[in-house]
Amino acid sequence: MSLKGKAAITGVGDTRYSRQSGKSVTTLQMEASLAAVRDAGLDPKDIDGIIAYGSMAVVAEDYITNFGIADLRFSAVTPLGGASAVSSIQCAAAAVAAGICNHVLIPISRNGSSGAGGRIGSRVREMPQFRLIGEFEMPLGAIAPAQLYAPMARRHMELYGTTSRQLAEIAVSTRHNAILNGNAMMTKPLSIEDHQASRMISDPLRLYDCSLESDGACAFIVSSMERAQDCAKPVIQVLGVAEGHPDSPSAITQRPDLTRLGLAKAAPKAFAMAGVTHDDIDVAEVYDCFTYIVLCQLEDLGFCKKGEGGAFVQSGAIRLGGKLPINTHGGLLSQAHMAGFNHVVELARQLRGEAGQAQVADARIGLVTGYGDMGDGSIAICARA
Amino acid sequence: MNAYDYGKPTPDPTADTQAYWDGMKQGKLLLQTCSDCGTIRHYPRPVCPACYSMEHRWTEAKGTGTVHSWTISHHAFHPGFKGELPYILVTVDLAEGVRMQAQLKGADASVLKVGLPVRIAFEAATKDLTLPVFVVA
């Protein structure tokens, strides 16, 4: 048995993304969750499973009180940071395939730009999976993700000749898509030269290699294939789904191959489960906390060989109209940092034909990835049924 | 806030790691070595990944290695590092086969390359806390 065809994404919703929401994370999350429920054509009480975003303030219990859910039958947390959204698809698909529940709501909200809760560095340190980083790297000055991930990018550059201008192509094409989206924080055109002139944060990562800090919320619903037929929108079937954890998952410094992420383990499993090839993928939403992480994932996904990601992106392949359009919503780099939950929302919209000006013509099969913590990876391959 | 506090992030050692920091204070780089199979591991952890033994001893490393990768920080993510910008962090393959990270001191970024030989040095941050740094060998 596999999870192929056992579950579907039936509802998606989001709030406005901004630097200052002026709302609580609970209010933001309920707003996005209700939008997802209505998008699916469901009643809030129909939700009988919740996967809460681990470190955030809103928990499954909040939905029992706000939605009046009489019999919540499944709750879980997938603690993979930015890979949580896509790993939650796997978790939810398993739950609905087993008959535990019918409709699993998977939401996130954050006041990541305006809110209290501390800067990224201090927040990271409090998470148990980063205990070793907190003890052995932060005291030396390696504190934020940009600093922890930069040695992976530098190693890739030294081994394969990858350049900053190639990373810039990812930032530029993503910004182009954000401008088309209508709900993106970054709306000013960006050029390769703008990227090259932006200040260095942690070499080789410049400002425009880094994602945003955002306020907002989004949510999606994973339903059993059987119950998906009751929903309002075209059924977006989950064909293949997997998660993978890198070697030395809690310390990049100790990882045997710095250029290989957990996604490299997950991707072949998801493609095999789905029974599709790379040429079948019409659109891909690829987790983009940093430009380099996109480039590395394109290799780990198998769209090009290890070391060839720079040439692949420079070819224009990832632009709208290219052979593999990616991050058609503007991603974490230019739409908003919703930890990749917005990537799932965008994939569903693309496969339904609801992606507006950034719609990929006749997109039928697509994939979404997550990347989290120090290299956890997840992937879902979906298709319009 | 802990015993080491001095306005920068500090380690918060556990029973599994205290010996490493005690070694630093004495100018020694100590690595966990499996008492049963001899495999050296870093960062410290309770179980040997080669034979699952929970017995270990601490052995002094040579303190030499080569650069595996690096980053140069131009932004202070903690106010304690503002005065040091830009600073170089190197990821080093130690002679013992494990890696460690530390700042590279006394060298310009232009010398950086994969394979650059380095050796460890020790810098007292406070009277109780000593941190490792690397210098070009």
Side-chain angles (χ1 to χ4, degrees):
Chain A
M1 158 180 179
S2 85
L3 291 175
K4 181 179 182 177
K6 297 290 200 306
I9 299 171
T10 51
V12 297
D14 46 13
T15 65
R16 294 300 298 175
Y17 298 130
S18 70
R19 294 201 181 280
Q20 187 147 23
S21 69
K23 296 176 180 174
S24 74
V25 288
T26 310
T27 292
L28 287 168
Q29 195 161 308
M30 292 304 153
E31 185 182 328
S33 299
L34 285 171
V37 168
R38 287 178 186 132
D39 181 63
L42 295 172
D43 186 273
K45 290 187 181 61
D46 294 332
I47 297 298
D48 55 2
I50 303 276
I51 301 178
Y53 188 64
S55 58
M56 295 294 141
V58 187
V59 294
E61 286 81 347
D62 289 311
Y63 284 90
I64 298 174
T65 48
N66 281 278
F67 283 12
I69 298 170
D71 187 15
L72 187 74
R73 295 192 277 167
F74 179 74
S75 69
V77 171
T78 52
L80 292 88
S84 294
V86 180
S87 283
S88 293
I89 297 176
Q90 175 177 260
C91 181
V96 298
I100 297 169
C101 55
N102 295 313
H103 301 291
V104 182
L105 178 68
I106 304 169
I108 189 175
S109 63
R110 41 179 36 180
N111 282 328
S113 170
S114 67
R119 304 294 294 174
I120 297 292
S122 52
R123 190 171 57 76
V124 164
R125 187 170 190 178
E126 287 156 14
M127 297 162 76
Q129 61 270 47
F130 299 138
R131 189 172 34 78
L132 292 173
I133 302 280
E135 180 164 358
F136 292 96
E137 301 190 4
M138 291 188 183
L140 312 172
I143 294 162
Q147 296 170 303
L148 299 169
Y149 300 171
M152 297 194 284
R154 172 52 62 191
R155 179 81 182 168
H156 199 279
M157 289 174 155
E158 297 299 312
L159 288 183
Y160 302 117
T162 308
T163 67
S164 176
R165 290 184 77 88
Q166 291 170 332
L167 298 182
E169 171 63 31
I170 296 166
V172 167
S173 66
T174 307
R175 178 66 60 85
H176 173 85
N177 298 344
I179 292 166
L180 299 176
N181 180 268
N183 185 18
M185 292 174 67
M186 304 301 275
T187 54
K188 203 176 129 199
L190 183 76
S191 68
I192 301 274
E193 287 66 36
D194 293 335
H195 171 281
Q196 293 291 289
S198 68
R199 71 189 171 93
M200 195 65 85
I201 301 296
S202 193
D203 184 283
L205 302 175
R206 295 181 175 278
L207 180 66
Y208 290 133
D209 291 307
C210 304
S211 50
L212 303 166
E213 290 182 317
S214 311
D215 285 13
C218 61
F220 58 95
I221 296 166
V222 171
S223 306
S224 67
M225 266 315 276
E226 190 179 43
R227 299 302 295 268
Q229 312 305 323
D230 312 336
C231 293
K233 293 289 179 71
V235 172
I236 306 304
Q237 196 174 11
V238 179
L239 294 181
V241 63
E243 75 178 45
H245 298 258
D247 300 334
S248 186
S250 301
I252 292 164
T253 297
Q254 305 296 342
R255 188 166 303 156
D257 182 352
L258 288 195
T259 68
R260 193 178 144 91
L261 303 171
L263 183 62
K265 300 181 187 181
K269 297 186 187 93
F271 274 97
M273 187 189 297
V276 303
T277 69
H278 292 74
D279 287 339
D280 295 324
I281 303 297
D282 299 315
V283 60
E285 313 302 345
V286 179
Y287 197 87
D288 58 333
C289 49
F290 295 91
T291 53
Y292 167 75
I293 298 298
V294 175
L295 186 146
C296 188
Q297 287 176 94
L298 289 169
E299 297 172 348
D300 288 344
L301 282 164
F303 286 102
C304 55
K305 291 196 181 109
K306 185 53 69 184
E308 293 178 355
F312 184 82
V313 301
Q314 208 164 25
S315 74
I318 62 171
R319 295 181 199 164
L320 274 178
K323 81 173 189 190
L324 183 72
I326 70 164
N327 296 346
T328 45
H329 55 326
L332 310 181
L333 290 168
S334 283
Q335 188 194 34
H337 198 319
M338 289 294 128
F341 287 66
N342 48 331
H343 292 53
V344 177
V345 169
E346 173 68 6
L347 180 65
R349 287 179 176 155
Q350 282 284 347
L351 297 178
R352 290 169 173 180
E354 293 179 349
Q357 290 186 67
Q359 179 66 49
V360 173
D362 199 31
R364 205 184 73 78
I365 303 178
L367 68 79
V368 57
T369 73
Y371 163 91
D373 294 348
M374 297 294 150
D376 296 342
S378 50
I379 171 175
I381 299 172
C382 299
R384 192 172 61 220
Chain B
M1 181 76 79
N2 64 29
Y4 294 141
D5 194 58
Y6 73 118
K8 284 185 180 179
T10 54
D12 197 4
T14 66
D16 293 336
T17 63
Q18 186 65 52
Y20 175 88
W21 295 106
D22 292 345
M24 282 284 139
K25 199 175 160 186
Q26 298 162 30
K28 291 178 182 174
L29 172 59
L30 299 183
L31 298 174
Q32 267 187 333
T33 304
C34 176
S35 301
D36 288 313
C37 77
T39 298
I40 293 174
R41 59 186 190 257
H42 199 52
Y43 300 131
R45 71 199 77 147
V47 178
C48 172
C51 75
Y52 314 122
S53 168
M54 292 188 76
E55 302 300 321
H56 72 269
R57 59 183 190 273
W58 292 88
T59 54
E60 185 174 358
K62 290 193 191 98
T64 60
T66 57
V67 168
H68 188 84
S69 193
W70 67 88
T71 182
I72 307 159
S73 273
H74 292 262
H75 181 88
F77 287 94
H78 185 285
F81 290 95
K82 265 187 185 155
E84 300 173 28
L85 297 174
Y87 57 90
I88 302 168
L89 285 160
V90 284
T91 302
V92 170
D93 288 306
L94 291 177
E96 287 77 12
V98 297
R99 295 207 195 108
M100 68 179 285
Q101 193 180 49
Q103 288 194 30
L104 182 71
K105 292 289 180 85
D108 187 85
S110 62
V111 306
L112 287 166
K113 60 175 183 182
V114 170
L116 178 73
V118 294
R119 66 179 168 77
I120 201 168
F122 301 90
E123 280 194 0
T126 72
K127 75 177 172 51
D128 292 319
L129 175 65
T130 296
L131 295 175
V133 298
F134 284 106
V135 294
V136 176

